[in-house]
Every structure is written in structure tokens, then in C-alpha cells.
Amino acid sequence: MAVNLLFSARPALWPIYQPLLSTYLGEMGIDFDLRTDFPPEEVDYVVYAPNGGLSDFTPYTRLKAVLSLWAGVESIAGNTTLTVPLARMVDHGLTQGMTEWVIGHVLRYHLGMDAHIHGLKGEWRQDVPPLASERSVAILGLGALGQASALALSALDFRVTGWSRSPKDVPGITCMHGSDGLKQVLNAAEILVLLLPSTPATENTLRAETLALLPRGARIINPGRGPLIDDAALLAALDSGQVGHATLDVFRTEPLPSDDPYWTHPNVTVTPHIASETRPVTAARVICENIRRGVQGEPFLHLVDREQGY
Ligand code: NDP
């Protein structure tokens, strides 16, 4: 019997994913029917993104798993109508894109590029940046994206510290966990990168109390999620000079409202949630591999721990 796959994501993605999923499933020898519309009780798998509009899984009585196209699953992890496994996206292309974005923004701060981009206004001032080996970068979150970024920065010789919920052992990275670990990580972070998921436990990880632990003038880069930061506390820390500059890609409200103070703050760079994205060519393979696993009774990859919310 054919496996019925419902594609529930932004309609513009359908013409991109439809041929990729069909080709890969065909190569795997899986008998499938892939559509954007099915009677709910006939669906085996949902290829899911929040902007597909699906939120009530109650009528999906035959569902085996929901396969997210997004790495961040905060909008579905707590959905009580979903009682089958939920897999998040771990995609090579997404990871590579994030690594490149993080490296670019870390290097901007490390090399002090702004001074020259904005111009020295006729003043021949030779501020030579330190070597990466003299610069400490901290990454909160050592998952798929945080670990790849940490390793890439370490390969450039930065002193990299990482923080996660559970203990980790990553070659070349000083790994910390727990609340004491967080204090140590923040104390040493000249440049801080947030790659945590948005969960009840990570909300306001950066707030007045934790921002105060950073070395004065530290730079913050947030490609994780908006709720990781208490915005009022960050703005106060930017105004006082405790935080030297922030590059923010994600926000509590997106698109960022036009009157938000982040847009005009002189020490904030706003990027519009473009740090990275799922890349269809590689991501479709991940989705198909999970369908194959489901069909052949093997464990799914990248399952979300619904209790932890990521
Ligand atoms: P993972 O689930 O692989 O990694 C999450 C990491 O955060 C893990 O190391 C985890 O710890 C750690 N963590 C979770 N909760 C806590 C906590 N309470 N205290 C300390 N550490 C914690 O996620 P990814 O790396 O794939 O993605 C990270 C986030 O990046 C996504 O959730 C999403 O929000 C964001 N993202 C942003 C994009 C953008 O364009 N801006 C694009 C894609 C993703 P442990 O290892 O112990 O489990």
C-alpha cells in the first residue's frame, strides 16, 4: 500500500520540494503518494512547517510521524493534539549556512571592521586586531548548529567555549553546562553567540543579571530565537556600554515592527531572520530518510524531546 505524504508548508515551497521528494523516494523504492491535500485520516506522514497552517492533528488518526522542515520547533513541540513522533530538521545545508553567517559576524567584531567600513574620517589610526588565538568566543547551545559553528571558529584558532544542557565533549572546545557553567562561560565571552532553542527553560537566558556577567563591551550575536533575550535588559546594557554591540537575526515579533528601538539603535545590527535556512536539496534527503526508516520500522532520526521542547 502506498505511503501517503502530506506536504504542509508555505505553498511556494511545494514546486521545489515536490520533485526532490518524489525523486529521492523513488530512488529508495518507496511506493508513495505525495500531495498538499488529503483526507486527514489517510495521511501517514506530514512534511511540516508552521506556515503551512496545520495545527490540529486530532483527525490524523493514521499518522506515523511529523517531519519538520525547520530546526526550531517551538511552535509545534507543545502541541497536545500531536501524539506521534516529531522529528526536527538537521540539514547539512542549513548547518553550513549558519556556520558561514556566524563566522562572518564574529570576524566583523574580531577584526573591528566597522571602523574602516564607516571610515576613519581622515585619521590614520592603526588599530591592529589581536589574533584569533587571543580572542574568546562563547557559544550558548552546542547542538547541530552551535557545535558546527564552534568547531569552525576553533579551526580559525579562536578560544571557543560552549554551553549546553547536558555535559558535552567536543574536541578543541571548552564545554560547560548547568548554571555554574553559564556563569563561567559568560565571564570570559568577548563575543557571545546564541544558538539555543526557544523553550520555557531558555527564555531570557540573557537578562540583566546574566548580561552583567559579560566582560564590559562584549558583543552579542543572536541567530537563535528572540525570546532568549530580555529586550529591555539588552537595550539598557547597550546604553550603559556593558554590551558594546549586538547583531540580532531573530526577534520576539517577526517581522520586527518598524518602530522597534532595535532598528535605530546605533549599536545594533538587525538582520531579518536570514542567518540560515533549510536547503531543499539536502533537507529533502533527510525527510526521505526518515520516511524510509518509518516504512522499514527503524528508529527515526532527529526526534524532538517533547518534554524539553527541542
Ligand atoms: P539542537 O537541538 O541541535 O541544539 C540545541 C542546543 O541547545 C543543545 O546543545 C542543547 O543542549 C542546548 N540547550 C537546550 N536547552 C538548554 C538549556 N535549558 N540550557 C542549556 N543548553 C540548552 O538545535 P540546533 O543547533 O539545530 O538549532 C538551534 C536553534 O537555532 C534552533 O532551535 C532555532 O531556534 C535556531 N535556528 C535559527 C535559524 C536562523 O536562521 N536564525 C535557522 C535555524 C535554526 P544539549 O546538547 O544538552 O541537548
Side-chain angles (χ1 to χ4, degrees), residues 144-178:
L145 303 178
Q147 226 175 95
S149 299
L151 288 169
L153 288 165
S154 172
L156 290 176
D157 226 13
F158 284 102
R159 295 200 311 250
V160 185
T161 306
W163 184 69
S164 51
R165 190 170 57 83
S166 54
K168 287 264 174 307
D169 186 7
V170 185
I173 313 298
T174 306
C175 297
M176 307 272 186
H177 65 281

Side-chain angles (χ1 to χ4, degrees), residues 114-279:
D114 284 26
H116 308 107
I117 290 169
H118 296 313
L120 293 176
K121 302 185 176 57
E123 188 192 345
W124 186 261
R125 205 177 65 241
Q126 293 177 301
D127 295 331
V128 177
L131 292 175
S133 58
E134 299 163 285
R135 180 80 74 191
S136 64
V137 182
I139 307 215
L140 304 190
L142 281 177
L145 303 178
Q147 226 175 95
S149 299
L151 288 169
L153 288 165
S154 172
L156 290 176
D157 226 13
F158 284 102
R159 295 200 311 250
V160 185
T161 306
W163 184 69
S164 51
R165 190 170 57 83
S166 54
K168 287 264 174 307
D169 186 7
V170 185
I173 313 298
T174 306
C175 297
M176 307 272 186
H177 65 281
S179 55
D180 280 350
L182 180 61
K183 281 183 201 150
Q184 289 182 57
V185 171
L186 294 179
N187 275 161
E190 289 174 86
I191 300 172
L192 178 67
V193 182
L194 305 185
L195 274 169
L196 293 164
S198 178
T199 71
T202 61
E203 179 156 19
N204 294 332
T205 297
L206 287 194
R207 51 189 183 278
E209 176 196 343
T210 46
L211 288 164
L213 296 171
L214 292 165
R216 190 166 174 78
R219 312 294 212 273
I220 292 171
I221 300 173
N222 184 18
R225 281 292 183 262
L228 301 175
I229 298 180
D230 174 337
D231 295 314
L234 176 58
L235 286 164
L238 284 159
D239 289 340
S240 73
Q242 169 58 14
V243 171
H245 201 280
T247 296
L248 308 174
D249 184 59
V250 284
F251 305 89
R252 285 173 192 262
T253 305
E254 293 181 11
L256 186 65
S258 57
D259 60 350
D260 192 286
Y262 282 142
W263 281 117
T264 49
H265 198 289
N267 292 336
V268 173
T269 295
V270 168
T271 64
H273 202 146
I274 47 78
S276 191
E277 67 175 4
T278 303
R279 313 289 155 147

Side-chain angles (χ1 to χ4, degrees), residues 22-75:
S22 300
T23 301
Y24 299 158
L25 289 168
E27 284 170 8
M28 290 170 160
I30 293 170
D31 181 16
F32 66 94
D33 190 358
L34 170 64
R35 298 193 226 158
T36 54
D37 197 16
F38 268 113
E41 66 280 4
E42 291 180 15
V43 174
D44 293 300
Y45 295 91
V46 174
V47 179
Y48 171 90
N51 44 24
L54 183 54
S55 59
D56 182 6
F57 292 91
T58 317
Y60 291 77
T61 48
R62 190 171 119 177
L63 196 60
K64 315 284 189 300
V66 169
L67 309 173
S68 173
L69 288 172
W70 289 21
V73 288
E74 66 275 9
S75 63

